[in-house]
mmCIF file of all heavy atoms in Angstrom:
data_model
loop_
_atom_site.group_PDB
_atom_site.id
_atom_site.type_symbol
_atom_site.label_atom_id
_atom_site.label_comp_id
_atom_site.label_asym_id
_atom_site.label_seq_id
_atom_site.Cartn_x
_atom_site.Cartn_y
_atom_site.Cartn_z
ATOM 1 N N TYR A 208 104.194 286.535 53.727
ATOM 2 C CA TYR A 208 103.597 287.593 52.902
ATOM 3 C C TYR A 208 104.139 288.945 53.331
ATOM 4 O O TYR A 208 104.070 289.312 54.502
ATOM 5 C CB TYR A 208 102.063 287.582 53.016
ATOM 6 C CG TYR A 208 101.437 288.612 52.098
ATOM 7 C CD1 TYR A 208 101.546 288.479 50.718
ATOM 8 C CD2 TYR A 208 100.765 289.735 52.601
ATOM 9 C CE1 TYR A 208 101.002 289.423 49.848
ATOM 10 C CE2 TYR A 208 100.221 290.682 51.731
ATOM 11 C CZ TYR A 208 100.346 290.516 50.357
ATOM 12 O OH TYR A 208 99.819 291.462 49.498
ATOM 13 N N THR A 209 104.677 289.703 52.388
ATOM 14 C CA THR A 209 105.252 291.018 52.690
ATOM 15 C C THR A 209 104.529 292.084 51.881
ATOM 16 O O THR A 209 104.429 291.966 50.646
ATOM 17 C CB THR A 209 106.756 291.038 52.302
ATOM 18 O OG1 THR A 209 107.395 289.923 52.930
ATOM 19 C CG2 THR A 209 107.427 292.329 52.734
ATOM 20 N N VAL A 210 104.010 293.094 52.585
ATOM 21 C CA VAL A 210 103.359 294.211 51.886
ATOM 22 C C VAL A 210 104.451 295.176 51.433
ATOM 23 O O VAL A 210 105.286 295.607 52.232
ATOM 24 C CB VAL A 210 102.359 294.925 52.821
ATOM 25 C CG1 VAL A 210 101.736 296.132 52.120
ATOM 26 C CG2 VAL A 210 101.283 293.954 53.304
ATOM 27 N N CYS A 211 104.454 295.510 50.142
ATOM 28 C CA CYS A 211 105.479 296.405 49.579
ATOM 29 C C CYS A 211 104.854 297.759 49.252
ATOM 30 O O CYS A 211 103.650 297.847 48.980
ATOM 31 C CB CYS A 211 106.052 295.806 48.298
ATOM 32 S SG CYS A 211 106.796 294.191 48.565
ATOM 33 N N HIS A 212 105.688 298.792 49.270
ATOM 34 C CA HIS A 212 105.188 300.138 48.968
ATOM 35 C C HIS A 212 105.791 300.695 47.681
ATOM 36 O O HIS A 212 105.358 301.728 47.189
ATOM 37 C CB HIS A 212 105.458 301.059 50.161
ATOM 38 C CG HIS A 212 104.824 300.521 51.421
ATOM 39 N ND1 HIS A 212 103.471 300.597 51.653
ATOM 40 C CD2 HIS A 212 105.350 299.837 52.469
ATOM 41 C CE1 HIS A 212 103.192 300.000 52.806
ATOM 42 N NE2 HIS A 212 104.320 299.518 53.319
ATOM 43 N N SER A 213 106.828 300.032 47.200
ATOM 44 C CA SER A 213 107.416 300.439 45.909
ATOM 45 C C SER A 213 108.157 299.239 45.338
ATOM 46 O O SER A 213 108.336 298.221 46.035
ATOM 47 C CB SER A 213 108.394 301.596 46.122
ATOM 48 O OG SER A 213 109.603 301.090 46.647
ATOM 49 N N PHE A 214 108.614 299.373 44.112
ATOM 50 C CA PHE A 214 109.369 298.276 43.494
ATOM 51 C C PHE A 214 110.639 297.967 44.293
ATOM 52 O O PHE A 214 111.115 296.842 44.287
ATOM 53 C CB PHE A 214 109.727 298.625 42.040
ATOM 54 C CG PHE A 214 108.598 298.373 41.069
ATOM 55 C CD1 PHE A 214 107.899 299.434 40.505
ATOM 56 C CD2 PHE A 214 108.238 297.077 40.721
ATOM 57 C CE1 PHE A 214 106.861 299.202 39.598
ATOM 58 C CE2 PHE A 214 107.199 296.835 39.816
ATOM 59 C CZ PHE A 214 106.511 297.901 39.255
ATOM 60 N N ASP A 215 111.139 299.002 45.006
ATOM 61 C CA ASP A 215 112.377 298.785 45.793
ATOM 62 C C ASP A 215 112.176 297.783 46.922
ATOM 63 O O ASP A 215 113.153 297.219 47.430
ATOM 64 C CB ASP A 215 112.855 300.111 46.413
ATOM 65 C CG ASP A 215 113.246 301.107 45.344
ATOM 66 O OD1 ASP A 215 113.563 300.658 44.226
ATOM 67 O OD2 ASP A 215 113.206 302.324 45.625
ATOM 68 N N ASP A 216 110.933 297.579 47.349
ATOM 69 C CA ASP A 216 110.668 296.619 48.428
ATOM 70 C C ASP A 216 110.621 295.168 47.929
ATOM 71 O O ASP A 216 110.523 294.238 48.725
ATOM 72 C CB ASP A 216 109.322 296.934 49.118
ATOM 73 C CG ASP A 216 109.350 298.274 49.836
ATOM 74 O OD1 ASP A 216 110.452 298.761 50.127
ATOM 75 O OD2 ASP A 216 108.255 298.821 50.095
ATOM 76 N N ILE A 217 110.608 294.996 46.616
ATOM 77 C CA ILE A 217 110.590 293.625 46.057
ATOM 78 C C ILE A 217 112.046 293.200 45.843
ATOM 79 O O ILE A 217 112.819 293.947 45.226
ATOM 80 C CB ILE A 217 109.831 293.580 44.703
ATOM 81 C CG1 ILE A 217 108.389 294.077 44.889
ATOM 82 C CG2 ILE A 217 109.852 292.176 44.112
ATOM 83 C CD1 ILE A 217 107.591 294.151 43.583
ATOM 84 N N PRO A 218 112.449 292.017 46.331
ATOM 85 C CA PRO A 218 113.841 291.593 46.124
ATOM 86 C C PRO A 218 114.187 291.549 44.633
ATOM 87 O O PRO A 218 113.353 291.143 43.826
ATOM 88 C CB PRO A 218 113.904 290.189 46.724
ATOM 89 C CG PRO A 218 112.628 289.965 47.433
ATOM 90 C CD PRO A 218 111.645 291.004 47.039
ATOM 91 N N THR A 219 115.393 291.970 44.294
ATOM 92 C CA THR A 219 115.747 292.042 42.864
ATOM 93 C C THR A 219 115.855 290.647 42.233
ATOM 94 O O THR A 219 115.804 290.521 41.021
ATOM 95 C CB THR A 219 117.082 292.794 42.656
ATOM 96 O OG1 THR A 219 118.067 292.155 43.479
ATOM 97 C CG2 THR A 219 116.959 294.256 43.039
#
Side-chain angles (χ1 to χ4, degrees):
Y208 184 66
T209 307
V210 177
C211 301
H212 303 285
S213 77
F214 278 107
D215 296 337
D216 295 340
I217 302 176
T219 54

